[in-house]
Structure formats: structure tokens, C-alpha cells
Amino acid sequence: MKQILISGVFGLFLSLIGTPILIKLLARKGYGQFIRDDGPRGHHSKRGTPTMGGIAFILATLIAYGATKLIVGERPTVSGLLVLFLFTGMGLVGFLDDYIKIVKQRSLGLRAKAKMAGQLIVGIAFAILALNFPDQRGATPASTKLSFTQDFGWSIGPVIFVIWALFMILAMSNGVNLTDGLDGLATGASVMVFAAYTVIGVWQYGQSCANALTAGPGCYEVRDPLDLAVVAAALMGACFGFLWWNTSPAKIFMGDTGSLALGGALAGLAICSRTEMLMAILGGLFVLITLSVVIQVGSFRLTGKRVFRMAPLQHHFELKGWSEVLVVVRFWIIQGMCMAVGLGLFYAGFVAAK
């Protein structure tokens, strides 16, 4: 348990002091955010705010995790390293997108095919690797069975699993990306989900099938639950530190560098902790905002009419007259309720299995 505290504190401290350093560096180089003209008018004042802030919490998380392992004298686990690989790999794709937007002054950044190719390469590599590296009990970081609070049903096979994992990775990465439209919104929501996965990892460790004292009905067949909690705590702390500078009025934006990385980390934690479908509830705000875009696009193509004044959903409420801070706080409350329901269902699943 000491590892979780150390990684969380290190992540918070490194991000808190590292983000202002990054702000000065990006501002000096003129790496400011491009603001679309068709967005809410209040956002035009944000033009030029340093972006690519995801670099700060990516580095803070990686250093926090590595430092924790050095301090406690333990080796990193395969599950922990795989989640960090997915987190960093998706962040690299986002960084290339942000860099092209800024340097080449091209509002859409990477071409759609190039961006998708980068996400697919990272996602496929993660999915294939996650089905390997069995421990002494034969447990691998991921399972070819679907999962809610635990694995259930028949194996879907490695090929379909890779497709399923890619769907999750792309859905969560783009969900966080769509949510990252208001100061602090995506960062604060991510903190809550990472907090939930810290709790889940600790609980799974205490009720692991690898422990002879707790093995039996309801135990968790997860390869490295405690280390997943360490990773989640490092991510939570790093995002908390970043939120200090990202909250309204934001001194820096995470950019695609941060949003794609966070989405990758969320998907990786869900897959490795065998809570894949539960993620749709734990990260309910990301799902809700993504659905608003799907509904808007689908309605316009089918009927020529828009359901919302603007999508994603947060901008609809801005155009209705809500202040940015009001939208963010209320959406945080929604995410908090989603997290509470998700944790409640996770515990209910354990009780039912007993």
C-alpha cells in the first residue's frame, strides 16, 4: 500500500512543479492553442494559450512510477508497463498532431488516416502484448473473455479480442479528446476515474485468486492488481497537479497529447483489471459527451436538423448561456455520480459472486 501513496504524491508533486516550467517553455516558443472560429465566442480569448500540456503529466506519471519502484525495491510488472506503454504511445500520437497544428498552422493537425494509423499501431501492439507474459499461474495481463466486474462467458479468441481492445482504446481516447473543450473538464473527470481504479486495484489485490487465503468464489483473476493501483495513483496525482494550472482560467491546455494519452490509460486499466464494460459507467461523462456528437452527426445526416445547439454537449450548454465554470462543475458532479455508481456495481458484483 505504501507504493500507492508514494506514486500518488510523486505524481502530484512532479506535475505541480513541472507544469509551470513547461508553460514558460511553450510560451517562449510560441506554441499556443489554435481556436476555431465556429466555436463559442468566449473561447476566442484563449487563443495563444500554451498547449501540449499533456507532456507534463505524462512525464510526471512515468517518473513517479519509476521512482516508486526504486524506493520500494521492486521490479515493475508487465501489466503496469503495458498500461504505461499505451498511455505514452497514444500521447506520442497526440503530440505529433499538436505539433503539426502549431508549427504548420494547420488546424486539423495530422491527416485523419495518419492519426488513425498511429492509434492502430499502438493499440494493436498493446492488445497483442497483453495476451502474452503469463505469470506462474498462467494469468496474462489481459483475457480473451469479456468482462464487467470480472471475466464472464466464453473466450472470444485473440483476433476478436484485439478488435475489441482497439474499439475500447479508440473510444476512450476520442471520448476524452471530445471532453477536453473547457478548462479543467477532462482533467478533473479523469482524476475521478483514476481514483476509482486505485480503489479497484487495492480491492482486487486483497481478494486475489493468487492469495491462498482469499482464493475461492468471487476472487479476482487479475495478473497484477496492486501495480495497476500504483499506476492509477500516479496518474491521479499527476492529473491533480496539472489541474492546478489547467482549471479556469487555464494557463495551459493538455492538447491531443494529453487527451489521447489519458484515454489510452483508462482503456488499458479497464482491460488489464478485467472491468472493460464497467468503464462505460465509471467514465460515464466521456461516454455521454461522445454520444452527443454521434447523435448530432446522425440527426443532421438523416434529417438535416441538429439536436443540440452545438456538439460536444458542453458547448450546447455554453450557447444556452451557462458560464464555463458552471458547465464544468456540473459536469464534474455528473462524473462523480457515474464513478460512485460504477464502484457500487463493482462491489455488488463481488458480493453476488460470493
Side-chain angles (χ1 to χ4, degrees):
M1 304 304 171
K2 180 173 67 174
Q3 295 184 61
I4 295 172
L5 179 61
I6 294 172
S7 65
V9 170
F10 264 77
L12 171 63
F13 177 74
L14 291 170
S15 184
L16 197 58
I17 65 171
T19 302
I21 296 174
L22 181 63
I23 292 172
K24 292 179 181 178
L25 177 63
L26 294 173
R28 189 179 302 123
K29 290 184 174 293
Y31 290 173
Q33 176 69 35
F34 178 89
I35 302 296
R36 293 170 51 185
D37 291 330
D38 58 348
R41 292 183 180 181
H43 288 205
H44 293 172
S45 62
K46 300 181 182 183
R47 183 176 278 112
T49 301
T51 187
M52 296 194 292
I55 295 172
F57 58 73
I58 290 174
L59 291 177
T61 300
L62 296 177
I63 295 171
Y65 178 79
T68 299
K69 292 300 172 183
L70 287 174
I71 291 171
V72 301
E74 290 188 6
R75 292 182 178 181
T77 66
V78 174
S79 299
L81 291 176
L82 280 175
V83 173
L84 291 175
F85 163 76
L86 184 58
F87 171 62
T88 308
M90 296 300 285
L92 179 59
V93 175
F95 171 80
L96 293 174
D97 189 44
D98 286 334
Y99 188 77
I100 291 173
K101 287 178 186 176
I102 295 167
V103 174
K104 294 192 175 182
Q105 293 295 302
R106 194 168 76 201
S107 62
L108 296 179
L110 277 174
R111 302 295 182 189
K113 289 183 179 179
K115 189 174 182 179
M116 179 61 70
Q119 291 176 301
L120 288 176
I121 290 170
V122 175
I124 290 173
F126 167 82
I128 293 174
L129 290 171
L131 291 178
N132 291 280
F133 306 104
D135 60 11
Q136 62 272 20
R137 297 180 301 113
T140 54
S143 167
T144 55
K145 292 184 177 181
L146 297 176
S147 61
F148 186 62
T149 60
Q150 295 194 50
D151 288 342
F152 66 86
W154 302 96
S155 169
I156 60 176
V159 175
I160 298 179
F161 166 76
V162 170
I163 295 172
W164 167 242
L166 279 175
F167 170 76
M168 283 197 63
I169 293 166
L170 294 175
M172 289 310 304
S173 294
N174 290 292
V176 178
N177 185 253
L178 291 170
T179 304
D180 183 36
L182 301 181
D183 295 352
L185 178 57
T187 310
S190 297
V191 166
M192 297 183 205
V193 187
F194 290 134
Y197 270 107
T198 303
V199 173
I200 287 172
V202 171
W203 183 262
Q204 288 177 332
Y205 175 71
Q207 305 295 330
S208 174
C209 295
N211 188 339
L213 297 177
T214 57
C219 69
Y220 296 94
E221 197 65 73
V222 178
R223 191 189 190 284
D224 306 297
L226 183 60
D227 209 41
L228 291 175
V230 172
V231 172
L235 285 160
M236 177 180 64
C239 286
F240 238 136
F242 182 75
L243 184 60
W244 180 272
W245 305 100
N246 182 234
T247 193
S248 183
K251 299 293 188 294
I252 189 170
F253 301 136
M254 70 169 69
D256 282 11
T257 305
S259 60
L260 295 187
L262 292 179
L266 291 171
L269 287 169
I271 292 169
C272 290
S273 65
R274 316 290 174 85
T275 55
E276 296 159 358
M277 295 182 182
L278 186 64
M279 169 56 74
I281 299 173
L282 288 171
L285 180 65
F286 302 125
V287 175
L288 179 65
I289 287 176
T290 302
L291 285 176
S292 73
V293 175
V294 173
I295 292 170
Q296 184 85 325
V297 173
S299 175
F300 186 75
R301 288 184 176 178
L302 291 174
T303 67
K305 297 180 180 179
R306 293 180 173 87
V307 176
F308 306 105
R309 296 188 181 186
M310 185 177 180
L313 188 61
Q314 62 268 31
H315 299 316
H316 166 78
F317 288 102
E318 278 193 290
L319 293 178
K320 285 191 67 175
W322 291 19
S323 69
E324 181 173 0
V325 173
L326 181 62
V327 175
V328 170
V329 172
R330 286 182 174 173
F331 275 41
W332 278 351
I333 293 172
I334 293 172
Q335 174 52 43
M337 291 189 292
C338 290
M339 181 191 71
V341 171
L343 286 175
L345 289 173
F346 176 78
Y347 182 71
F350 171 76
V351 173
K354 284 289 188 181

